[in-house]
Amino acid sequence: MERPPYLRLHFGPTSERQISTKSIVDTIRTQLNGKIDLSGCRLPPIRALAHQLGVSKNTIQIAYDELKILGLIEGRDRAGLYVATREKSLPFSEVIKKVGSPKLKTYPAHPNTLEHSPDEIQLSTVFLDPDILPREKISECYRSVLKNPGLRTHYSSQGLLPLREIIAKRLRDRGMDADARHVVITAGSQPAIDITTRSLQTKIVGTEDPFYFGGKVLMELNGLQTFGLPVDPFVGIDKVIWEQQIRKYRPGLLYLTTNFQNPNGYSYTSEELAHIIEWAHEFGFGLLEDDWGSEMLSYSEFRPGLRALGGKDVLYINSYTKKLLPSLRLGYILGSEKTIDNLVMAKRVSCLGTPALNEYALFEFIDRGHYDTHLKNVQQILDQRYNNCLNLLRELMPPEIKWTTPGGGPILWLEFPKRVSIEQIIQNLKNKKIHLIPTQKTFFKTPHNHGVKIGYAFLKEHQMQKALELLAVELVNELKK
Ligand SMILES: Cc1ncc(COP(=O)(O)O)c(C=O)c1O
């Protein structure tokens, strides 16, 4: 049987002296005699209403008895008291109608690489192989944090201070002007992009073409206008077009991924970075540097990016979700004296705070030296997988196929001749349980590259071999057409 709707009543301001049986009867009667027919609704139990109004159960009992005599309410066996049926009117349950769902914006469909079937080989994913993630060491840190009797029960909106301090120190070691007071902890890079771009006064942002899907769509959701800055992973940026676009759109910000851009794997040259910084001065826009891939570089090298070269007005974001543990969902923004208050406020009104328990555990992990050990291990494995991938490409790919050599990070770009149907290849491989992410929709207009991204951080050598062998067969067939 369906549960009858509960009668929600409002009692105006009262002092104890005013709450009499009569005032309760009058209040309920006024609400039952309104335009809406409330018949069939269940009245609050006597003890609940007595508790609410701070009066005895007897007072409520008398009030309810009077309402019964007035014919406004009625008892139903032992099921409680209900609003009595009115003549010639529909009961409440039939008056209330189902409301329509709110009209939400619709977005271009994009495969979610987190939700794939386990027997599929993910050939385009940017994630690391779960088997190389330091799950045991992380669990150890969580256990230790939970045992600490001094664990604070509250959180800081800006993020745990010791974590911000250790992050700032590591960034200073890399030549960045970084102070713990200017770091905001976020739930990964994605909320960092969200907070920053939502806070902009000038709602126009330039970003790479092809773009990082989650970044562009997020900015548009936040009401920003975006425009594309073409990057060809084989030749770099086209400075003439970049400058034309910047002059045309007069952006408030450029959002750029300096290392291993997603999807094309490109990393900017020093000369390009210097040009970008010069344009920022000349045209007065800000820079948001997404440095998600910096620590996935071979031989632990660090290549200074926009923040290191352009100074503390460059907003810098980075994350532990790809390099350490996706489910940890922690990252950060590094701002400056000028921007920090607004960034903290934007984070506060968006989520109040990030889970302090995760922040403590991450701090422990870095502070105990586990992060550096883990990175060394990741870099070594990535180097091997990268080499293996290059060897396989050389061995298996038909001569017309070319690829980039990013030297680190999780992805490279594989370029096909224009006559190859990418959709057909993706479909044929899907039937063989190889999953490739289509990239053609990540270009602003007509794609200037024709290919796919290959992720080598996730797959074991034998999986990569199988996937590339099958891809090569498809390509050979396509090229024959
Ligand atoms: C370039 C880039 N930036 C940001 C993100 C978001 O990462 P996070 O998981 O840290 O929120 C991604 C995710 O793939 C990405 O590719």
Side-chain angles (χ1 to χ4, degrees), residues 113-114 126-127 186-193 208 211-215 255-257 259-263 290-293 317-322 325-326 329-332 411 453:
T113 48
L114 294 172
V126 295
F127 284 97
T186 53
S189 314
Q190 194 68 14
I193 305 169
E208 285 108 355
F211 49 82
Y212 160 52
F213 182 85
Y255 160 64
L256 302 172
T257 305
N259 290 302
F260 316 122
Q261 198 262 345
N262 189 3
D290 182 342
D291 199 17
W292 74 311
I317 63 180
N318 209 330
S319 167
Y320 297 92
T321 61
K322 300 292 183 302
L325 199 69
R329 297 256 14 110
L330 280 178
Y332 58 90
I411 45 174
K453 64 175 168 180

Side-chain angles (χ1 to χ4, degrees), residues 107-128:
Y107 298 101
H110 196 68
N112 183 349
T113 48
L114 294 172
E115 284 157 23
H116 60 267
S117 89
D119 59 341
E120 255 188 2
I121 294 183
Q122 300 296 309
L123 189 49
S124 294
T125 183
V126 295
F127 284 97
L128 291 186

Side-chain angles (χ1 to χ4, degrees), residues 11-12 14 16 19 24 47-56 60:
F11 292 86
T14 49
E16 214 176 307
I19 307 177
I24 297 170
R47 63 185 148 68
L49 196 53
H51 173 72
Q52 180 185 342
L53 298 178
V55 297
S56 71
I60 305 296

Side-chain angles (χ1 to χ4, degrees), residues 397-408:
M397 288 299 134
E400 285 174 81
I401 309 298
K402 57 178 185 166
W403 52 90
T404 57
T405 50

